[in-house]
């Protein structure tokens, strides 16, 4: 995936420097791109790829090159809904005023933003191509995470470029009072939009305690769960200190996730259990659920 994206970026730079800007120094990049192209071919045609690809071909999961490329764009648009979650949009609005200040003082003309957008979509889609070609699907979480990072970087780059294009277009107009593009009013609009978006996201979010640590702190203190967790924690520490070599403790009834993401296990060899047993110089610590009256009956 990374090698394919690197090839696309390299060829794009060659086209920009040589064809659009007509700079002769682009010739200095040709040897390195030639080496990169040879290395890319050796990577794709490596025997290991054929062995792994044969496994998927026997299962009928692989696809041809053309189908892999076309399906990459379909997968790219399908995953946009997953990647464009609420906080991504909120951060984009939050960065808007800062980006506006930067592009306003920039000497770049920010021409042809549509070309950058089209190129970004192609680069983003290449992240799906290799997996679709070899396995016929995008199933690995590590691949999706890498694609998500690429998408978010391109999202920020396009936001900067489009804001720069808008800013330069507005500067070309002679009468700023009529267009309402005074330098003081633009940041104000951004901050108003940001505030409204933040409030809307917070109001619609059904998992506030998991997505906002400040709200989670207020929630757990206000409901008393934090205090109950502290009480249970002290009782557990006393039970461990005063217990024998093998200590059995009860699980937490209240466990705020910002204070304790996981609890101990009933397996003394579990990593958390073993680490705590070592800390308190115990042979083993086991966390077991107490039987209820209904279970006993």
């Amino acid at each position: 995936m990374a090698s394919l994206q690197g090839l696309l970026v390299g060829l794009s730079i060659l086209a920009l420097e040589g064809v659009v800007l007509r700079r002769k120094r682009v010739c200095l990049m040709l040897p390195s791109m030639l080496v990169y192209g040879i290395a890319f071919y050796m990577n794709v045609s490596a025997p290991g790829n054929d062995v792994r690809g044969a496994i998927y071909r026997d299962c009928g999961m692989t696809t041809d090159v053309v189908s892999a490329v076309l399906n990459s764009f379909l997968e790219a648009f399908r995953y946009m809904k997953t990647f464009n979650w609420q906080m991504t949009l909120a951060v984009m609005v939050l960065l808007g005023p800062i980006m506006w200040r930067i592009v306003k003082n920039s000497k770049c003309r920010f021409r042809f933003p549509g070309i950058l957008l089209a190129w970004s979509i192609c680069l983003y889609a290449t992240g799906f191509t290799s997996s679709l070609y070899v396995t016929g699907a995008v199933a690995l979480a590590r691949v999706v995470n890498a694609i998500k990072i690429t998408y978010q970087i391109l999202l920020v780059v396009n936001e900067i470029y489009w804001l720069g294009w808008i800013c330069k277009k507005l500067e070309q107009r002679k009468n700023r009072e009529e267009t309402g593009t005074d330098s003081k009013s633009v940041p104000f609009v951004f901050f108003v939009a940001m505030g409204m978006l933040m409030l809307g996201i917070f109001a619609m979010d059904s998992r506030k305690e998991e997505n906002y640590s400040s709200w989670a702190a207020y929630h757990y203190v206000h409901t008393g769960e934090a205090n109950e967790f502290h009480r249970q924690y002290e009782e557990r520490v006393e039970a461990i200190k005063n217990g024998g070599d093998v200590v059995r403790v009860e699980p937490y009834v209240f466990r705020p996730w910002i204070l304790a993401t996981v609890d101990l296990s009933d397996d003394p060899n579990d990593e958390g259990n073993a680490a705590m047993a070592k800390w308190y110089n115990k042979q083993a610590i086991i966390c077991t659920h107490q039987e209820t009256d209904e279970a006993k009956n």
Side-chain angles (χ1 to χ4, degrees), residues 154-279:
L154 293 173
L155 200 65
V156 174
V157 171
N158 276 267
E159 182 181 8
I160 295 174
Y161 202 90
W162 277 93
L163 285 176
W165 179 78
I166 294 173
C167 181
K168 298 306 177 183
K169 286 294 183 181
L170 294 177
E171 287 180 351
Q172 293 175 1
R173 300 188 179 185
K174 297 180 180 179
N175 195 344
R176 291 179 179 272
E177 290 77 13
E178 294 181 359
T179 57
T181 57
D182 184 71
S183 59
K184 295 183 179 180
S185 63
V186 173
F188 176 76
V189 173
F190 274 119
F191 282 117
V192 171
M194 179 187 66
M196 294 177 62
L197 180 61
M198 291 292 188
L199 291 175
I201 290 174
F202 183 78
M204 293 185 296
D205 196 343
S206 59
R207 302 166 60 184
K208 298 182 179 64
E209 292 79 17
E210 299 180 15
N211 294 332
Y212 305 95
S213 57
S214 56
W215 177 262
Y218 162 77
H219 171 79
Y220 292 124
V221 171
H222 179 70
T223 58
E225 292 186 33
N227 185 62
E228 286 297 317
F229 171 78
H230 179 68
R231 182 186 60 79
Q232 293 174 106
Y233 166 77
E234 290 184 332
E235 291 178 354
R236 175 176 291 189
V237 171
E238 287 297 322
I240 294 175
K241 288 182 178 180
N242 299 328
D245 292 334
V246 178
V247 182
R248 294 182 178 273
V249 297
E250 298 180 4
Y252 289 127
V253 178
F254 296 97
R255 184 166 52 85
W257 73 269
I258 58 175
L259 298 177
T261 56
V262 294
D263 202 349
L264 295 179
S265 170
D266 57 358
D267 182 6
N269 297 319
D270 195 53
E271 183 179 1
N273 296 54
M276 185 168 290
K278 184 178 180 180
W279 176 265

Side-chain angles (χ1 to χ4, degrees), residues 71-130:
N71 289 331
S72 296
F73 289 94
L74 297 178
E75 292 291 336
F77 286 104
R78 187 170 69 88
Y79 271 89
M80 278 185 181
K81 183 178 180 180
T82 304
F83 297 157
N84 282 329
W85 67 304
Q86 296 171 338
M87 290 306 299
T88 300
L89 301 178
V91 171
M92 289 182 64
V93 176
L94 180 65
L95 293 177
I98 302 175
M99 294 177 179
W100 185 268
R101 294 288 187 181
I102 294 174
V103 299
K104 188 174 181 62
N105 299 324
S106 175
K107 295 181 180 179
C108 180
R109 291 185 291 176
F110 298 99
R111 302 173 60 190
F112 310 115
I115 296 178
L116 175 64
L117 177 61
W119 177 84
S120 299
I121 294 175
C122 293
L123 181 62
Y124 160 58
T126 55
F128 300 93
T129 306
S130 56

